[in-house]
Amino acid sequence: MTSPVRVLIVDDDFRVAGLHRDLVAARPGFVVAEPAHTLADAADALRAERFDLLLVDVFLPDGDGITFARGVDIDTIVLSAATDAPTVRRALRAGALTFLPKPFEARALSDLLERYLRFRNVLNAERALTQDDIQRALGILHGGAESATVSRSATENVVLEALGDGESSASEIAERAGVSRATAQRHLSALAMRGVVDVRLRYGATGRPEHRYSVAEPGVTRGGARR
């Protein structure tokens, strides 16, 4: 079972930080700590426990959030009203995964968190990553892949239903779905390209590699709706 992503929010506005905390807490797959309102508080929190994702503002009472983020080995997303081009470029040079300008609608942060989770799923593969894997992960994070809320075709829904919550080969899925192996393989490949399913190679008793598929996108029902 995949561990939840642990999130630390760093924002000096108590009201805004609380809203962001509640948005993160509402997303499946995430655990959020109480926000830090200064960089000193953030540093104390990072010393006390492990975090996977930092949501940080630029201007804080005791320093610069981008400079702080550069010095910690944690995935970072900058949330700030400082949207001038030099600041955005500086954030990206410092290693921020992306930049979300304030003010933003709640949906914008929720969608970004969902894409981040799918991005992590792709990059958490146990095998060596290919260029396609890397490009797919970046496409998911930056919105180049299909949104999870887009309706899927009827056949894709049947294939996902047949996949279930375990791990299966294309042949096993095809048999359960009542479609040809080629049809199942085609739809599984498309779902994998969009980050909806994970795929890995497993060597069987004959020594021949076999692709194994499992659901990658958390909180999805088979009809494409959120749980």
Side-chain angles (χ1 to χ4, degrees), residues 75-100:
D75 287 348
T76 299
I77 296 173
V78 175
L79 313 178
S80 179
T83 56
D84 58 284
T87 297
V88 174
R89 289 198 304 270
R90 188 165 64 87
L92 297 177
R93 283 198 306 270
L97 294 175
T98 190
F99 193 112
L100 186 59

Short mmCIF file of all heavy atoms in Angstrom, two decimals, residues 75-100:
data_model
loop_
_atom_site.label_atom_id
_atom_site.label_comp_id
_atom_site.label_asym_id
_atom_site.label_seq_id
_atom_site.Cartn_x
_atom_site.Cartn_y
_atom_site.Cartn_z
N ASP A 75 10.25 17.91 -2.76
CA ASP A 75 9.47 18.46 -3.88
C ASP A 75 8.78 19.73 -3.42
O ASP A 75 8.19 19.77 -2.33
CB ASP A 75 8.41 17.45 -4.34
CG ASP A 75 9.00 16.28 -5.09
OD1 ASP A 75 10.19 16.34 -5.45
OD2 ASP A 75 8.27 15.30 -5.32
N THR A 76 8.84 20.77 -4.26
CA THR A 76 8.29 22.07 -3.87
C THR A 76 7.39 22.63 -4.96
O THR A 76 7.72 22.56 -6.15
CB THR A 76 9.43 23.07 -3.61
OG1 THR A 76 10.24 22.60 -2.53
CG2 THR A 76 8.88 24.44 -3.25
N ILE A 77 6.26 23.18 -4.53
CA ILE A 77 5.40 23.97 -5.40
C ILE A 77 5.26 25.34 -4.76
O ILE A 77 4.96 25.45 -3.58
CB ILE A 77 4.01 23.31 -5.56
CG1 ILE A 77 4.15 21.95 -6.26
CG2 ILE A 77 3.08 24.23 -6.35
CD1 ILE A 77 2.85 21.16 -6.32
N VAL A 78 5.52 26.38 -5.55
CA VAL A 78 5.42 27.74 -5.04
C VAL A 78 4.01 28.27 -5.29
O VAL A 78 3.49 28.18 -6.41
CB VAL A 78 6.47 28.65 -5.72
CG1 VAL A 78 6.28 30.10 -5.28
CG2 VAL A 78 7.88 28.19 -5.39
N LEU A 79 3.39 28.79 -4.22
CA LEU A 79 2.07 29.42 -4.30
C LEU A 79 2.26 30.88 -3.91
O LEU A 79 2.55 31.17 -2.75
CB LEU A 79 1.08 28.76 -3.33
CG LEU A 79 1.00 27.23 -3.30
CD1 LEU A 79 -0.01 26.78 -2.24
CD2 LEU A 79 0.63 26.68 -4.65
N SER A 80 2.12 31.80 -4.86
CA SER A 80 2.45 33.19 -4.54
C SER A 80 1.75 34.17 -5.46
O SER A 80 1.45 33.86 -6.62
CB SER A 80 3.97 33.38 -4.64
OG SER A 80 4.32 34.72 -4.35
N ALA A 81 1.50 35.37 -4.92
CA ALA A 81 0.98 36.47 -5.73
C ALA A 81 2.10 37.21 -6.45
O ALA A 81 1.84 38.07 -7.29
CB ALA A 81 0.22 37.45 -4.83
N ALA A 82 3.35 36.87 -6.14
CA ALA A 82 4.51 37.49 -6.80
C ALA A 82 4.72 36.79 -8.14
O ALA A 82 5.49 35.84 -8.25
CB ALA A 82 5.75 37.36 -5.93
N THR A 83 4.01 37.26 -9.16
CA THR A 83 3.99 36.56 -10.44
C THR A 83 4.81 37.26 -11.52
O THR A 83 4.62 36.99 -12.71
CB THR A 83 2.54 36.40 -10.93
OG1 THR A 83 1.91 37.69 -10.99
CG2 THR A 83 1.76 35.50 -9.99
N ASP A 84 5.69 38.18 -11.13
CA ASP A 84 6.57 38.79 -12.14
C ASP A 84 7.49 37.71 -12.70
O ASP A 84 7.86 36.74 -12.02
CB ASP A 84 7.37 39.92 -11.52
CG ASP A 84 8.22 39.45 -10.35
OD1 ASP A 84 7.64 39.24 -9.25
OD2 ASP A 84 9.44 39.25 -10.54
N ALA A 85 7.86 37.88 -13.96
CA ALA A 85 8.63 36.85 -14.65
C ALA A 85 9.94 36.49 -13.95
O ALA A 85 10.29 35.30 -13.84
CB ALA A 85 8.90 37.29 -16.09
N PRO A 86 10.73 37.47 -13.45
CA PRO A 86 11.98 37.11 -12.76
C PRO A 86 11.74 36.21 -11.54
O PRO A 86 12.52 35.29 -11.30
CB PRO A 86 12.57 38.46 -12.36
CG PRO A 86 12.03 39.42 -13.36
CD PRO A 86 10.64 38.95 -13.64
N THR A 87 10.67 36.48 -10.78
CA THR A 87 10.39 35.65 -9.60
C THR A 87 10.01 34.22 -10.01
O THR A 87 10.46 33.25 -9.41
CB THR A 87 9.27 36.27 -8.75
OG1 THR A 87 9.71 37.54 -8.27
CG2 THR A 87 8.92 35.38 -7.57
N VAL A 88 9.17 34.12 -11.04
CA VAL A 88 8.77 32.78 -11.50
C VAL A 88 9.99 32.01 -12.01
O VAL A 88 10.18 30.83 -11.68
CB VAL A 88 7.68 32.89 -12.59
CG1 VAL A 88 7.37 31.50 -13.16
CG2 VAL A 88 6.41 33.52 -12.01
N ARG A 89 10.84 32.69 -12.81
CA ARG A 89 12.05 32.02 -13.32
C ARG A 89 12.96 31.62 -12.17
O ARG A 89 13.54 30.52 -12.18
CB ARG A 89 12.80 32.93 -14.29
CG ARG A 89 12.11 33.12 -15.63
CD ARG A 89 13.09 33.65 -16.68
NE ARG A 89 13.75 34.88 -16.25
CZ ARG A 89 13.27 36.10 -16.49
NH1 ARG A 89 12.13 36.24 -17.17
NH2 ARG A 89 13.90 37.17 -16.09
N ARG A 90 13.06 32.46 -11.17
CA ARG A 90 13.93 32.16 -10.02
C ARG A 90 13.41 30.94 -9.27
O ARG A 90 14.19 30.08 -8.83
CB ARG A 90 14.00 33.38 -9.10
CG ARG A 90 15.01 33.26 -7.96
CD ARG A 90 15.29 34.62 -7.34
NE ARG A 90 14.12 35.18 -6.71
CZ ARG A 90 13.75 34.95 -5.45
NH1 ARG A 90 14.48 34.13 -4.69
NH2 ARG A 90 12.68 35.53 -4.94
N ALA A 91 12.09 30.84 -9.12
CA ALA A 91 11.50 29.69 -8.44
C ALA A 91 11.80 28.40 -9.20
O ALA A 91 12.18 27.37 -8.61
CB ALA A 91 10.00 29.87 -8.29
N LEU A 92 11.66 28.44 -10.52
CA LEU A 92 11.91 27.25 -11.32
C LEU A 92 13.40 26.88 -11.32
O LEU A 92 13.75 25.70 -11.26
CB LEU A 92 11.39 27.46 -12.74
CG LEU A 92 9.88 27.68 -12.86
CD1 LEU A 92 9.49 27.96 -14.29
CD2 LEU A 92 9.11 26.48 -12.32
N ARG A 93 14.26 27.89 -11.37
CA ARG A 93 15.71 27.61 -11.29
C ARG A 93 16.08 26.99 -9.96
O ARG A 93 17.00 26.18 -9.87
CB ARG A 93 16.52 28.91 -11.48
CG ARG A 93 16.62 29.39 -12.91
CD ARG A 93 17.78 30.38 -13.08
NE ARG A 93 17.70 31.49 -12.14
CZ ARG A 93 17.06 32.64 -12.39
NH1 ARG A 93 16.45 32.81 -13.55
NH2 ARG A 93 17.04 33.60 -11.50
N ALA A 94 15.34 27.36 -8.90
CA ALA A 94 15.64 26.84 -7.57
C ALA A 94 15.14 25.40 -7.39
O ALA A 94 15.40 24.78 -6.36
CB ALA A 94 15.01 27.73 -6.51
N GLY A 95 14.40 24.90 -8.38
CA GLY A 95 13.96 23.52 -8.32
C GLY A 95 12.48 23.31 -8.07
O GLY A 95 12.04 22.17 -7.90
N ALA A 96 11.69 24.39 -8.01
CA ALA A 96 10.25 24.23 -7.83
C ALA A 96 9.67 23.43 -9.00
O ALA A 96 10.03 23.66 -10.16
CB ALA A 96 9.57 25.58 -7.74
N LEU A 97 8.77 22.50 -8.69
CA LEU A 97 8.15 21.70 -9.74
C LEU A 97 7.26 22.55 -10.61
O LEU A 97 7.18 22.36 -11.83
CB LEU A 97 7.34 20.56 -9.12
CG LEU A 97 8.13 19.49 -8.38
CD1 LEU A 97 7.17 18.50 -7.73
CD2 LEU A 97 9.08 18.76 -9.32
N THR A 98 6.56 23.49 -9.99
CA THR A 98 5.70 24.39 -10.74
C THR A 98 5.35 25.58 -9.85
O THR A 98 5.75 25.64 -8.68
CB THR A 98 4.43 23.67 -11.25
OG1 THR A 98 3.72 24.52 -12.16
CG2 THR A 98 3.52 23.28 -10.09
N PHE A 99 4.59 26.53 -10.39
CA PHE A 99 4.28 27.79 -9.72
C PHE A 99 2.79 28.05 -9.91
O PHE A 99 2.30 28.11 -11.04
CB PHE A 99 5.10 28.91 -10.36
CG PHE A 99 5.15 30.21 -9.60
CD1 PHE A 99 6.33 30.64 -9.01
CD2 PHE A 99 4.02 31.01 -9.49
CE1 PHE A 99 6.39 31.84 -8.32
CE2 PHE A 99 4.06 32.21 -8.81
CZ PHE A 99 5.26 32.63 -8.22
N LEU A 100 2.05 28.20 -8.81
CA LEU A 100 0.62 28.48 -8.87
C LEU A 100 0.37 29.90 -8.38
O LEU A 100 0.56 30.19 -7.20
CB LEU A 100 -0.15 27.47 -8.02
CG LEU A 100 -1.68 27.52 -8.09
CD1 LEU A 100 -2.17 27.30 -9.53
CD2 LEU A 100 -2.30 26.47 -7.18
#
